[in-house]
Amino acid sequence: MDNIYQFSGQVIDKTWLLDQGIKLLYIDDDFVVDKNIVALLDIKKDKSIHGNSIVVHNTKGVFFVERTTKQLMNEFHLTNRVGFMVSRTLTSFFNLKSFLPMIHGNVSYMPMTGGSRNNADWIGLHFVEGFQQTDQVARFKSTQGFEIEMNFPRGNLSDRMHDVSVMTQYFVSSAEIYLSSMNLAVKTMNDNCILTAFSSCICSKHEKIPRKYRDVELGVDYLVDSAFQKMCRGELGYKEMIITYKQVFSKNKRNY
């Protein structure tokens, strides 16, 4: 199955898929989430023949699944081990409060309706090479050549994508610097995607992107501190517990 094989030349959107395109969809309730998801469409409140989500996939085409988009996104930790953990830390680091994307290296999923507590439509920006916003509708051109339209009820699409991009660049730059210390190199896939469009930006957020190993260390320290805060908050003497954990953590990094 090559690319979005059912819909050659068709602009994909939820309404069209549930009407004229529905006869071309199939069901895959055994689907395992992976980085080849191009988009997730929430149909929990829509009348459809099956399922709560439509998956637009790079190699499997477009299909129904019974799980909600929230359940599908939460399953990413089963394949990348960290799920939303690093994304939450980066969102806090860059002081982004209105939404929580899922960032893992050069894999970046952006929710179209803000927070992650409820079901939402999601777009994989590592499969997007162009975009435009018309009122409350976002249209994305994929790296495979097809286009998909999704509702975008609030905000400026370019600003939102900029913020996801800077988080992705932070992750990738950290990996490049860290692996360079091991005499290894990072090679990004889908390097023609929109995530590189903001690389020349000189805003305050982009200035935080690591340039040297010390910057990566500061980022790791921030991640560790965030994890300890979540582990210990609410416990009696949690501040002292954090100090103790950090001392043990630091000691285990040193030679004996």
Side-chain angles (χ1 to χ4, degrees):
M1 295 182 183
D2 295 326
N3 297 324
I4 312 303
Y5 67 97
Q6 300 114 304
F7 308 110
S8 177
Q10 173 66 42
V11 177
I12 298 174
D13 69 77
K14 190 187 307 185
T15 301
W16 188 88
L17 286 173
L18 291 176
D19 184 18
Q20 299 178 56
I22 197 168
K23 62 183 179 294
L24 298 177
L25 302 184
Y26 67 99
I27 299 169
D28 186 359
D29 282 335
D30 295 324
F31 171 66
V32 178
V33 298
D34 61 28
K35 64 179 176 59
N36 284 307
I37 295 173
V38 178
L40 293 178
L41 304 176
D42 170 36
I43 57 169
K44 184 177 176 63
K45 295 181 181 179
D46 295 277
K47 294 181 179 179
S48 63
I49 58 171
H50 179 86
N52 292 299
S53 305
I54 294 176
V55 178
V56 182
H57 195 272
N58 183 41
T59 59
K60 297 177 181 291
V62 187
F63 51 91
F64 290 111
V65 295
E66 180 64 28
R67 287 159 288 171
T68 66
T69 59
K70 179 180 179 180
Q71 289 173 321
L72 289 167
M73 290 303 301
N74 281 334
E75 289 176 9
F76 263 104
H77 77 92
L78 300 175
T79 54
N80 68 20
R81 298 297 296 171
V82 297
F84 282 93
M85 183 179 69
V86 174
S87 300
R88 289 185 184 281
T89 302
L90 287 173
T91 300
S92 174
F93 182 74
F94 286 105
N95 196 30
L96 306 175
K97 300 178 180 179
S98 60
F99 70 102
L100 178 64
M102 205 288 292
I103 309 296
H104 187 67
N106 201 46
V107 174
S108 302
Y109 288 98
M110 184 180 77
M112 303 301 290
T113 54
S116 62
R117 290 189 176 91
N118 300 312
N119 297 305
D121 295 339
W122 293 77
I123 184 71
L125 297 186
H126 52 297
F127 284 116
V128 170
E129 66 176 25
F131 69 96
Q132 65 182 46
Q133 179 181 4
T134 304
D135 297 325
Q136 295 181 324
V137 175
R139 176 178 284 201
F140 302 100
K141 181 179 180 181
S142 78
T143 54
Q144 303 98 320
F146 73 94
E147 295 186 344
I148 181 169
E149 284 189 349
M150 308 172 80
N151 291 331
F152 186 68
R154 293 187 303 276
N156 181 284
L157 182 61
S158 181
D159 290 344
R160 182 79 65 84
M161 294 179 70
H162 166 276
D163 290 344
V164 178
S165 174
V166 75
M167 293 169 67
T168 302
Q169 287 180 254
Y170 187 98
F171 199 127
V172 172
S173 181
S174 296
E176 288 175 339
I177 294 170
Y178 183 65
L179 288 180
S180 177
S181 72
M182 304 179 191
N183 203 30
L184 299 173
V186 171
K187 177 177 174 55
T188 58
M189 302 172 65
N190 296 13
D191 55 3
N192 61 328
C193 70
I194 201 69
L195 292 170
T196 62
F198 303 93
S199 59
S200 61
C201 178
I202 56 173
C203 71
S204 58
K205 294 174 184 174
H206 272 88
E207 288 180 352
K208 290 185 175 182
I209 293 175
R211 311 295 179 190
K212 54 185 182 297
Y213 191 83
R214 178 56 182 159
D215 298 332
V216 178
E217 287 186 317
L218 293 174
V220 173
D221 289 343
Y222 190 90
L223 174 63
V224 171
D225 287 347
S226 299
F228 285 153
Q229 288 281 353
K230 288 188 177 296
M231 288 170 53
C232 300
R233 187 169 295 279
E235 300 290 335
L236 290 176
Y238 81 93
K239 292 183 179 179
E240 290 75 15
M241 290 175 62
I242 290 175
I243 292 173
T244 300
Y245 283 145
K246 290 176 69 173
Q247 288 174 341
V248 173
F249 187 77
S250 178
K251 182 179 179 181
N252 284 335
K253 291 190 295 184
R254 297 193 294 268
N255 292 327
Y256 289 93

